[in-house]
């Protein structure tokens, strides 16, 4: 098949976003909206992507680097002008171009792929991607001739009352035979309400040159939904979230309530995992098979091993092994690496620490900058005192060690294999293997003390 280049129009200012960020870079369910458009174009078979950039050009180039070709359109004199500017930058072997807008993140690869095939089969100079809308307000209307052929496209502002009744609209996506469009593009005139060079005027120009033009009417008109302000940004995000949930469910993930589940596009989740409502999963997170992600979990850029269970947990650049049991109310911060079968219970915070296979940190602990071996039990309320106000220091706990409740481990410090630390200790020196470390005030009992206290109080109140 002929070499296809996608020309993505992304030069506009996006004034209504009220933002310093280029409109097409605004985040939609975890990725810049332009990334969805680029992926859809590649999915439709585009060998190259040419981005027409203007406002925020540097920001866009920084994100996509060498993945795309670029051309600068400054000032922006309309969609037709954008293509005029783009043509000299097309690869030499390019035969067909697909022009799409950078602000329509909901468009799918399937739709664009279908569209390109439709264009190729029709053997025409141009195909417009059209849609039929009950409320076509604001869009360019497709005007067909008596024979049903596409004659021209008229913008809302330039349309007659009769033309405004037309329900068939231009979605803003086109396929063109490059050679044919190149012949007419230079002749566009800005004779319209906005004084712009309209890409849509290429259609009658091609027809006048004796070339054939047609339109494909798309099924799901939601897909060309364009983002112009933050309300539409939120609507697009909602559509893409639902799409992501749907893909995951079809791939074997149980999502109890897709409406309240926020899973970013880049996240991967294995089959037989169950996700409860009000969960947020972001970024490069990978969740294994057969996990349970309970209500209110918030997981970012983390790895969760197969068979693990998370309840009301916050994970951020953290990793769990298989069959771990986390929460409720656990906070795993960057650099946390749990091996398999680890238990992290309620009100536990772990940072930049490794916890070995089968170890437990069941309640009310802070573990930071620590290396904890296998089958270690860390008692309730244990704290690694890793910071002296200037530097962070490591704590090491050997395999099989038992740390009694309410222990302070003042780092740098080591607890040897199978050692025991007595509850309530403040450990400042190494505890050798197999030893008992005890570091707390010795208990003294004063016999009859309470009775004496009562007597004294009685005497005072009688005075
Ligand atoms: C355009 C179509 C309209 C169609 C609608 C679908 C024209 C004249 N009209 O109208 O028929 O129904 O899209 O959404 O094409 N852009 C540039 N450079 C420019 C102008 C625009 O890169 O000089 C980019 C914008 O950033 C945007 C896209 O092109 O991504 C569409 O431009 P916009 O001005 O929004 O066109 P519409 O008025 O929506
Ligand atoms: Ca628009």
């Amino acid at each position: 098949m002929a070499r296809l280049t996608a020309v993505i129009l992304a030069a506009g200012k996006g004034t209504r976003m009220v933002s310093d960020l280029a409109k097409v870079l605004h985040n939609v369910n975890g990725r810049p909206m332009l990334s969805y458009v680029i992926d859809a174009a590649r999915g439709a078979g585009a060998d190259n992507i040419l981005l027409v950039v203007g406002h925020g050009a540097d920001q866009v180039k920084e994100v996509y680097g060498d993945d795309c070709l670029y051309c600068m359109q400054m000032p922006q004199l309309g969609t037709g002008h954008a293509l005029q500017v783009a043509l000299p930058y097309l690869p030499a072997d390019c035969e067909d171009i697909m022009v799409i807008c950078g602000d329509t993140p909901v468009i799918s690869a399937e739709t664009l792929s279908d569209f390109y095939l439709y264009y190729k089969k029709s053997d025409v100079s141009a195909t417009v991607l059209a849609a039929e809308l009950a409320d076509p307000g604001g869009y360019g209307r497709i005007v067909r001739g008596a024979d049903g052929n596409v004659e021209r496209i008229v913008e809302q502002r330039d349309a007659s009352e009769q033309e405004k009744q037309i329900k068939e609209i231009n979605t803003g996506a086109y396929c063109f035979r490059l050679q044919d469009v190149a012949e007419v593009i230079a002749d566009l005139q800005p004779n319209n309400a906005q004084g712009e060079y309209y890409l849509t005027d290429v259609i009658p120009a091609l027809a006048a040159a004796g070339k054939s033009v047609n339109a494909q009417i798309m099924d799901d008109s939601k897909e060309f939904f364009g983002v112009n302000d933050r309300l539409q940004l939120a609507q697009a995000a909602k559509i893409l979230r639902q799409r992501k949930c749907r893909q995951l469910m079809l791939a074997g993930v149980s999502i109890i309530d897709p409406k309240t589940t926020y899973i970013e596009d880049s996240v991967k989740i294995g089959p037989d995992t169950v996700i409860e409502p009000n969960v947020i999963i972001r970024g490069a997170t990978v969740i294994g098979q057969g996990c349970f992600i309970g209500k209110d979990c918030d997981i970012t850029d983390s790895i969760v091993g197969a068979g693990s269970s998370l309840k009301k947990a916050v994970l951020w650049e953290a990793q769990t092994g298989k069959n771990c049991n986390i929460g409720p109310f656990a906070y795993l911060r960057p650099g946390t690496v749990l091996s398999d079968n680890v238990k992290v219970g309620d009100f536990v915070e772990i940072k930049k620490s490794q916890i070995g296979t089968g170890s437990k940190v069941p309640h009310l602990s802070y573990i930071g900058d620590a290396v904890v071996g296998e089958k270690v039990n860390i008692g309730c309320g244990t704290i690694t005192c890793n910071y002296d106000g200037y530097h962070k220091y490591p704590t090491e706990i050997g395999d099989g060690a038992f740390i009694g409740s309410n222990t302070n481990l003042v780092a740098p410090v080591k607890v040897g294999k199978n050692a025991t630390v007595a509850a309530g200790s403040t450990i400042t020196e190494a505890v050798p293997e197999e030893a008992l470390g005890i570091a707390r005030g010795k208990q003294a009992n004063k016999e009859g003390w309470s009775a004496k206290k009562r007597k004294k109080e009685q005497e005072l109140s009688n005075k």
Side-chain angles (χ1 to χ4, degrees):
M1 212 175 257
R3 307 276 289 177
L4 175 68
T5 297
V7 178
I8 304 182
L9 307 187
K13 185 152 195 277
T15 311
R16 281 174 282 167
M17 296 300 284
V18 194
S19 178
D20 288 336
L21 184 67
K23 174 165 101 170
V24 290
L25 295 183
H26 275 263
N27 183 309
V28 184
N29 203 35
R31 303 167 73 209
M33 65 173 108
L34 182 53
S35 298
Y36 292 91
V37 181
I38 291 172
D39 282 2
R42 287 202 198 284
D47 311 298
N48 288 293
I49 307 286
L50 173 60
L51 299 179
V52 181
V53 290
H55 288 283
D58 291 343
Q59 294 173 344
V60 176
K61 286 181 186 171
E62 199 174 316
V63 173
Y64 299 103
D66 294 338
D67 291 350
C68 297
L69 306 167
Y70 303 91
C71 71
M72 191 68 181
Q73 187 205 12
M74 201 58 123
Q76 292 93 33
L77 305 178
T79 48
H81 177 242
L83 191 60
Q84 286 174 346
V85 169
L87 288 194
Y89 292 87
L90 288 167
D93 60 351
C94 173
E95 292 177 23
D96 293 320
I97 57 174
M98 181 185 282
V99 180
I100 42 183
C101 293
D103 60 0
T104 54
V106 183
I107 199 93
S108 70
E110 296 75 50
T111 294
L112 290 186
S113 173
D114 257 21
F115 176 47
Y116 182 50
L117 287 177
Y118 183 89
Y119 157 79
K120 285 311 276 182
K121 269 195 277 179
S122 313
D123 194 25
V124 290
S125 292
T127 300
V128 179
L129 186 58
E132 273 169 349
L133 298 187
D135 175 14
Y139 291 102
R141 311 295 207 283
I142 305 227
V143 181
R144 290 182 185 258
D147 52 1
N149 285 341
V150 175
E151 254 178 16
R152 61 198 171 88
I153 298 171
V154 61
E155 294 305 296
Q156 165 100 10
R157 298 195 212 197
D158 304 303
S160 66
E161 282 312 312
Q162 203 184 346
E163 285 164 342
K164 281 182 188 154
Q165 303 308 311
I166 298 173
K167 305 272 189 242
E168 190 183 355
I169 62 99
N170 168 26
T171 64
Y174 319 80
C175 286
F176 293 113
R177 195 179 287 153
L178 177 56
Q179 203 185 334
D180 295 346
V181 79
E183 278 170 23
V184 300
I185 190 95
D187 299 331
L188 294 180
Q189 296 300 322
N191 300 329
N192 52 59
Q194 296 192 89
E196 287 185 358
Y197 293 89
Y198 282 175
L199 180 54
T200 44
D201 288 345
V202 162
I203 303 298
L206 286 170
K211 313 279 183 193
S212 46
V213 171
N214 67 358
Q216 185 196 24
I217 300 177
M218 68 194 289
D219 298 334
D220 182 1
S221 57
K222 258 196 305 222
E223 276 201 20
F224 68 90
F225 180 79
V227 174
N228 296 306
D229 59 29
R230 301 208 193 216
L231 303 180
Q232 290 168 334
L233 188 71
Q235 281 172 280
K238 189 172 170 190
I239 295 168
L240 289 172
R241 271 201 307 275
Q242 296 312 307
R243 185 183 291 173
K244 178 69 179 179
C245 283
R246 186 170 184 276
Q247 283 166 358
L248 288 169
M249 290 187 285
L250 291 174
V253 177
S254 278
I255 298 180
I256 306 298
D257 182 16
K259 280 208 173 68
T260 60
T261 304
Y262 300 73
I263 302 175
E264 287 187 350
D265 203 59
S266 44
V267 171
K268 297 192 174 84
I269 304 180
D272 286 328
T273 284
V274 176
I275 308 213
E276 288 200 326
N278 290 332
V279 164
I280 300 189
I281 310 176
R282 304 184 183 86
T285 298
V286 179
I287 295 178
Q289 194 167 338
C291 292
F292 173 80
I293 310 295
K295 181 177 183 298
D296 299 335
C297 283
D298 183 335
I299 306 170
T300 304
D301 295 331
S302 294
I303 295 173
V304 177
S308 291
S309 163
L310 274 61
K311 290 177 192 140
K312 291 189 189 290
V314 176
L315 274 67
W316 173 30
E317 292 175 25
Q319 187 176 335
T320 89
K322 290 182 190 146
N323 304 314
C324 287
N325 200 342
I326 314 295
F329 311 110
Y331 183 19
L332 305 185
R333 291 170 49 198
T336 297
V337 179
L338 311 181
S339 300
D340 298 342
N341 304 310
V342 168
K343 153 104 184 157
V344 174
D346 50 288
F347 304 104
V348 172
E349 173 180 346
I350 302 183
K351 184 217 80 171
K352 207 175 169 190
S353 295
Q354 296 167 36
I355 313 279
T357 305
S359 289
K360 295 179 175 145
V361 193
H363 342 261
L364 301 160
S365 283
Y366 170 66
I367 305 295
D369 303 301
V371 176
V372 176
E374 298 182 0
K375 294 196 174 139
V376 170
N377 189 87
I378 299 204
C380 175
T382 296
I383 307 282
T384 56
C385 311
N386 61 330
Y387 185 51
D388 62 3
Y390 301 97
H391 299 103
K392 304 275 171 81
Y393 300 97
T395 299
E396 249 179 74
I397 302 176
D399 295 346
F402 180 95
I403 312 295
S405 294
N406 199 28
T407 292
N408 303 309
L409 298 163
V410 182
V413 74
K414 258 187 193 181
V415 176
K417 271 190 190 174
N418 298 322
T420 297
V421 172
S425 291
T426 293
I427 297 294
T428 54
E429 282 162 36
V431 180
E433 279 186 36
E434 307 284 342
L436 168 71
I438 178 160
R440 62 189 184 209
K442 212 173 169 116
Q443 185 168 334
N445 294 334
K446 316 227 162 162
E447 295 292 338
W449 183 88
S450 298
K452 277 187 216 158
K453 180 171 173 255
R454 278 198 303 276
K455 197 173 161 215
K456 212 171 194 173
E457 282 165 358
Q458 194 69 49
E459 284 169 6
L460 281 172
S461 68
N462 289 345
K463 269 191 184 165

